[in-house]
Amino acid sequence: ARCVVTAEAAHVTIAREKIQAALSPVELEVMSDETDPNGSHISIRVVSEAFEGKRSMARQQLVYKAIWEEMDGSNAPIHAVDSMVCKTPSEA
């Protein structure tokens, strides 16, 4: 089997590290939208115990809070989160 490794945009790596630090997830995927030429749109899937007892909006707010610096301002490297899935370990 052949493995193809592609270079990941720095802001995707930074977003992943910040979410990891803020929420200590058991599962985490942060991916750049391949159809976006700038890579400024990302998708996030995170499974964390930090979401226990929280509604969907509150879960998303925790994620946005973690990556806000990457999204703030007109020159921000992340312009949009196209999809975000936030689950607890029991929901995953």
Side-chain angles (χ1 to χ4, degrees):
R2 209 177 108 197
C3 180
V4 177
V5 178
T6 57
E8 181 174 85
H11 62 273
V12 173
T13 303
I14 291 167
R16 183 180 301 109
E17 290 170 354
K18 288 185 173 191
I19 294 168
Q20 182 73 42
L23 301 173
S24 301
V26 294
E27 290 180 42
L28 176 60
E29 292 177 17
V30 180
M31 296 163 291
S32 187
D33 181 351
E34 295 172 9
T35 63
D36 176 22
N38 301 322
S40 61
H41 289 226
I42 62 171
S43 295
I44 299 170
R45 181 179 184 281
V46 58
V47 179
S48 174
E49 289 181 9
F51 299 144
E52 289 289 349
K54 292 183 172 46
R55 292 175 180 251
S56 178
M57 180 72 76
R59 294 174 182 193
Q60 291 180 7
Q61 287 172 338
L62 289 172
V63 176
Y64 279 119
K65 183 177 178 183
I67 62 171
W68 186 247
E69 288 179 346
E70 308 316 306
M71 298 185 73
D72 189 27
S74 59
N75 292 325
I78 299 173
H79 295 170
V81 177
D82 289 342
S83 71
M84 186 186 304
V85 177
C86 302
K87 295 185 175 188
T88 65
S90 62
E91 295 167 343

